[in-house]
Amino acid sequence: MKHFKILFLFLLFLTVSCNRKENHPYTFYYWKTKLKLDNAEKKALDKATVPYLYTRFFDVDKVNGKFQPVAVITKGQSFQTDKQIVPTVFITNQTLLGISADEIRFLAESIHLLIQKKTEEYHLKTNNEIQIDCDWTAGTRNDYFKLLKELKRISGKEITCTLRLHQVKDKKQTGIPPVEKVYLMCYSTSSPLEKSDKNSILDVNILKSYLSKMENYPIKKIEVALPIYSWGIVTNHLGKHRLINALSKRDLENANFKKISDHEVEVMKDGFYFGSYLNKGFKIKVEEISEEQLNDVIVFLQKKIPHFNIIYYQLDSKFVSDRKF
């Protein structure tokens, strides 16, 4: 009987241990065009336990056949932090379509020079890393991987990149990027512009199915990007959808809205709401991320990835004020 009790307690301990969220060092992405920090953002960033802030410097797109930097950062006086900045650049997939070897070299050089220019102009304290964010596909993988290698050669920096869920699941088609470290993006599990009862920012069951064999991914240095952002999906009379960023359930408390469900309302009076003109009959659905969802993802990933830091997307007082990290 005594042995049975010990065995039972041991199994109970194992079960609890396997389902417990560990403490992971964390920090944030900063994804606004103007670098500035209000008090809530400064406070959240000061408490972050990773010494880096992943800061988007600019996007790269192809406009009229030419490569263009888009929404390049500017800096305000309030942007002061002890964290080292990791320059992050988003590249659209269309930028890589039909790109030549000469254009890859030109693009890598241009990205490196613009990062250097902005780092010096704004006296930013950067580390030895550049992160590239791109939703590459089977058709652009080879050229994208060449760009990553070329950027490493030109800059002399450690080049890392983001990794989307489909790029894990379909790794045979999309390939393995030539980097030593990747950042797994645990969000955007479906499109917010399609009719669905699922949370398009993060549906944990969809994520688990995409990452069911994550432990077999060849790159072993993996950091995890988790969502803390929210938005509202507006549906008009024709069933067309559009997004209003940073909306929360609290924003739906309005005398001109009729509550349909816990996170959805119907507009009862034409007018300007959240900077947009909305007609009577339009519906607004808010998608937010709960602590339970995040914990569920972390506990799941602990079984797949030995050690990881967390980078929350994104640093904004609307998303960090009421959250425990």
Side-chain angles (χ1 to χ4, degrees):
M1 189 69 182
K2 190 178 175 187
H3 290 305
F4 176 75
K5 271 185 183 170
I6 291 167
L7 182 64
F8 174 75
L9 287 170
F10 177 67
L11 289 172
L12 185 68
F13 171 75
L14 268 186
T15 308
V16 170
S17 300
C18 289
N19 292 298
R20 186 187 294 142
K21 186 188 93 164
E22 295 167 15
N23 280 330
H24 295 270
Y26 74 92
T27 186
F28 299 94
Y29 276 107
Y30 188 92
W31 215 264
K32 296 175 198 168
T33 305
K34 179 157 189 181
L35 303 181
K36 54 181 183 173
L37 294 169
D38 65 21
N39 287 335
E41 291 155 0
K42 273 182 188 161
K43 202 171 159 188
L45 189 55
D46 286 345
K47 283 184 180 173
T49 49
V50 169
Y52 308 125
L53 177 65
Y54 293 82
T55 306
R56 176 205 154 278
F57 271 45
F58 52 89
D59 300 346
V60 177
D61 200 1
K62 206 180 224 173
V63 183
N64 299 324
K66 289 185 177 176
F67 302 120
Q68 296 280 339
V70 179
V72 181
I73 51 165
T74 60
K75 181 174 172 283
Q77 297 259 311
S78 64
F79 191 82
Q80 290 173 354
T81 176
D82 292 333
K83 305 287 184 200
Q84 289 181 55
I85 302 297
V86 180
T88 303
V89 176
F90 172 72
I91 302 176
T92 65
N93 193 47
Q94 71 165 11
T95 300
L96 303 164
L97 292 170
I99 195 171
S100 69
D102 284 345
E103 286 175 325
I104 287 171
R105 275 194 293 278
F106 170 77
L107 192 54
E109 204 161 82
S110 302
I111 288 168
H112 170 57
L113 288 174
L114 188 50
I115 288 172
Q116 267 192 326
K117 185 184 171 192
K118 290 294 148 190
T119 301
E120 288 162 16
E121 186 181 342
Y122 297 139
H123 309 290
L124 298 172
K125 186 176 68 176
T126 57
N127 74 338
N128 194 45
E129 179 182 354
I130 295 171
Q131 185 183 128
I132 302 297
D133 177 23
C134 178
D135 191 5
W136 85 86
T137 57
T140 55
R141 67 179 239 185
N142 293 340
D143 290 324
Y144 177 55
F145 295 170
K146 282 176 195 165
L147 176 67
L148 294 175
K149 286 179 183 171
E150 191 63 19
L151 187 56
K152 182 179 175 66
R153 188 187 69 78
I154 287 168
S155 68
K157 302 250 182 188
E158 181 191 2
I159 304 302
T160 62
C161 72
T162 55
L163 183 66
R164 284 164 169 76
L165 301 178
H166 73 89
Q167 291 159 347
V168 175
K169 185 171 174 256
D170 305 325
K171 64 179 185 285
K172 280 188 179 152
Q173 289 82 13
T174 53
I176 309 300
V179 296
E180 289 181 14
K181 181 161 70 170
V182 288
Y183 292 76
L184 180 64
M185 296 173 70
C186 294
Y187 43 91
S188 299
T189 46
S190 58
S191 168
L193 304 180
E194 290 167 8
K195 186 166 173 57
S196 171
D197 57 351
K198 290 180 165 53
N199 185 321
S200 68
I201 295 174
L202 174 59
D203 182 283
V204 178
N205 289 331
I206 292 175
L207 177 131
K208 286 179 178 179
S209 73
Y210 271 81
L211 302 181
S212 62
K213 295 190 169 62
M214 184 73 221
E215 64 271 26
N216 299 333
Y217 198 76
I219 298 171
K220 295 305 175 192
K221 277 173 84 174
I222 299 168
E223 311 289 31
V224 172
L226 291 179
I228 52 171
Y229 64 95
S230 64
W231 55 32
I233 303 169
V234 179
T235 307
N236 68 12
H237 300 113
L238 300 171
K240 290 257 181 0
H241 308 292
R242 63 188 169 94
L243 291 178
I244 297 177
N245 276 319
L247 234 55
S248 69
K249 277 199 281 195
R250 268 178 300 191
D251 294 316
L252 300 185
E253 291 162 16
N254 187 312
N256 294 332
F257 297 162
K258 183 176 85 176
K259 196 171 178 181
I260 300 171
S261 71
D262 190 37
H263 52 269
E264 195 170 10
V265 295
E266 184 177 334
V267 178
M268 303 307 289
K269 186 181 176 185
D270 293 358
F272 276 98
Y273 304 98
F274 323 115
S276 298
Y277 191 83
L278 306 180
N279 292 108
K280 184 183 176 185
F282 279 26
K283 293 185 173 69
I284 310 169
K285 174 190 171 189
V286 161
E287 292 187 334
E288 293 179 295
I289 302 302
S290 68
E291 296 300 326
E292 289 73 31
Q293 282 172 293
L294 293 179
N295 288 346
D296 199 351
V297 171
I298 292 167
V299 168
F300 169 76
L301 288 176
Q302 283 169 179
K303 297 165 191 169
K304 305 280 182 184
I305 304 167
H307 304 285
F308 57 86
N309 293 341
I310 293 170
I311 301 95
Y312 289 105
Y313 183 85
Q314 62 166 319
L315 183 61
D316 186 309
S317 54
K318 292 187 187 106
F319 307 139
V320 298
S321 295
D322 297 327
R323 226 176 246 283
K324 292 188 182 80
F325 294 103

